[in-house]
Amino acid sequence: MKNKHTIPATASLRQALGQLNELPGGAMVLFAVDLDGKVLGTLTDGDIRRAILRGAALESTVAEAARTDFRFLRTGSRDVAALRNFRAAGITLIPVLGEHGSLEDIIDLSVLTTLLPLKAVLMAGGKGERLRPATLTTPKPLLKIEGKAIIDYNIEALAACGINDITVTTRYLADMLDEHFSDPVAGVTVKTVREDAPLGTIGAVALTEVAAEEGDTLVMNSDLLTTISFEEMYLLHRERKADVTIAVVPYQVSVPYAILTLDEDDPTAVRGIEEKPAYSYYANAGIYIFSNALLRTLSPDERCDATDLIDRAIAAGLRVTYYPIKGTWIDVGSPVDFRQAGELMRHHNSMERR
């Protein structure tokens, strides 16, 4: 990709137009480099037209037309807020420069939506008993919706966020998951680790390589379909300096009867009556961002559910917060959910084809 989008600053504008013409579409941008490979500026066909209107000739050098006030990232930087600003400004190709200005990489925001500095662990050890008989011979994460395994939708969403360190924890029909991930998914080589005994909804994370350094890991159930913004969730997690952020979905409970309100001091006295009230709550969506420090407290010999770990964090005075999912979320746990997920993806795919 770098070769297609780089051009010597001494090349002519005529050569630049030819090279732009050969690009396969998308972001029509060239990066002008000097003899040492340092990026001097960016060039589009619009920059060339403006240079010609100022009096430049087609044999003038690229350096005469290139914009020197270009925006870039430094090598090793995963500035999520900056990437969001690039995207908002309509900048698709972002040069990643080394210490001395050399072009080390190009981030294509038409392929990646962001670059989250997260590792991800997907929990896939359950039996999916409510979806039997389909799950008697196939682990639930590998059931196909619109021709694609449920878990692959999640792998693709994570990969689009620049998350390429992904581990799947397995137990039930683990060999099938191992085989499935023997080939990369969405360009990511997915690792699998197997539970020898049930370790709960998060205990198996102790079997993975939790980073020794500070940072965070995204943990999620593998049998979800969601359009959650992992970027927004991560930015909120960092903004709040949280140790745990729980993704949640609104959940409403309607009571079909009139409900009495009792006096707190005299529970035999009625203070009011409410006809068929509805109560709104936030339900756990099975998607979390945990600090690596908290995950390192898990033991591979201990069964632990995510709710247990969150309770521990709260008891220890750690910062626990939540992120409401604004888009779609389906827990594919029952035949009804499975059919709904299929209808959702058919609608989504038909909209994409238009």
Side-chain angles (χ1 to χ4, degrees), residues 43-210:
L43 189 73
T44 66
D45 57 355
D47 295 322
I48 295 174
R49 287 197 302 272
R50 285 185 285 273
I52 290 173
L53 288 173
R54 293 194 303 267
L58 284 177
E59 301 311 319
S60 299
T61 64
V62 162
E64 296 179 49
R67 294 177 59 105
T68 58
D69 58 343
F70 63 97
R71 297 162 67 177
F72 61 90
L73 292 178
R74 287 292 183 189
T75 300
S77 170
R78 287 207 168 198
D79 189 333
V80 179
L83 285 168
R84 190 169 189 162
N85 290 336
F86 279 118
R87 199 168 63 242
I91 300 173
T92 304
L93 287 190
I94 304 166
V96 180
L97 306 187
E99 182 181 356
H100 302 293
S102 60
L103 185 64
E104 301 297 325
D105 197 6
I106 298 173
I107 298 171
D108 186 349
L109 290 182
S110 68
V111 178
L112 296 174
T113 58
T114 185
L115 282 174
L116 299 183
L118 293 170
K119 172 182 175 177
V121 180
L122 278 69
M123 316 302 290
K127 293 182 178 180
E129 292 178 332
R130 287 185 296 160
L131 279 172
R132 289 184 174 178
T135 53
L136 288 173
T137 55
T138 304
K140 182 165 68 166
L142 293 187
L143 293 178
K144 291 188 176 181
I145 293 177
E146 284 294 282
K148 186 186 300 181
I150 296 170
I151 195 170
D152 286 355
Y153 285 102
N154 294 313
I155 299 292
E156 289 175 357
L158 294 170
C161 292
I163 300 175
N164 52 27
D165 187 344
I166 301 175
T167 302
V168 174
T169 67
T170 67
R171 177 167 168 77
Y172 177 68
L173 299 178
D175 288 341
M176 295 184 68
L177 285 157
D178 291 343
E179 174 63 24
H180 180 77
F181 290 115
S182 62
D183 294 321
V185 176
V188 176
T189 300
V190 178
K191 294 169 283 189
T192 59
V193 295
R194 188 177 305 194
E195 301 173 71
D196 292 327
L199 292 174
T201 59
I202 201 170
V205 173
L207 305 175
T208 70
E209 299 175 3
V210 177

